[in-house]
């Protein structure tokens, strides 16, 4: 599962590239609502149309099922 | 001017800390609209309540008046 995601710094990692900031921001807004709904939040960076997402579970000291769940939800956007 | 901003990696830098992701996201949404209005976008990272903002002007190869203008607008939020 999650073929689009890799490992970076021991975190689940995926990046997205959109043509414009507006589109990147729209995507980020969807992710923000998912994150708040799941009460599990990404570490993420945005530069114009580029969005980089890192998922880890600090309480678990690494990647947990909560990260996989959020990643799967992001993939369904 | 801009006493809250520092220099990091040759960019204008400021970080913000909010008690919750909802508050951080609300702030980021305001910054997103400012950025789109000014057609000048930040490099920024969010982790839960923490928001780190870096401003630079790639076309200028460094910090320009556009960065100061966006920083001033952010400070007025």
């Amino acid at each position: 599962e999650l073929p689009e995601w890799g490992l970076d710094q021991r975190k689940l990692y995926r990046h997205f590239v959109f043509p414009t900031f507006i589109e990147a921001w729209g995507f980020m807004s969807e992710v923000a609502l998912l994150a708040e709904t799941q009460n599990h939040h990404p570490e993420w960076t945005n530069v114009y149309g580029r969005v980089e997402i890192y998922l880890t579970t600090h309480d678990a000291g690494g990647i947990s099922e909560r990260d996989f769940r959020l990643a799967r939800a992001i993939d369904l956007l």
Side-chain angles (χ1 to χ4, degrees), chain A residues 30-42 70:
Chain A
E30 294 185 284
V31 173
L33 295 180
L34 287 177
E36 192 62 21
T37 301
Q38 297 189 3
N39 193 26
H40 190 57
H41 300 84
L70 182 53

Side-chain angles (χ1 to χ4, degrees), chain A residues 5-13 63:
Chain A
W5 294 76
L7 278 178
D8 188 8
Q9 303 168 52
R10 297 186 178 183
K11 300 169 185 174
L12 280 184
Y13 170 78
I63 298 169

Side-chain angles (χ1 to χ4, degrees), chain A residues 17-58:
Chain A
V17 180
F18 300 90
T20 64
F21 176 74
I22 287 177
E23 287 159 281
W25 185 255
F27 166 74
M28 290 177 72
S29 298
E30 294 185 284
V31 173
L33 295 180
L34 287 177
E36 192 62 21
T37 301
Q38 297 189 3
N39 193 26
H40 190 57
H41 300 84
E43 303 177 11
W44 52 351
T45 295
N46 162 244
V47 183
Y48 197 65
R50 185 177 180 90
V51 181
E52 310 205 48
I53 301 181
Y54 296 85
L55 302 179
T56 187
T57 304
H58 291 105

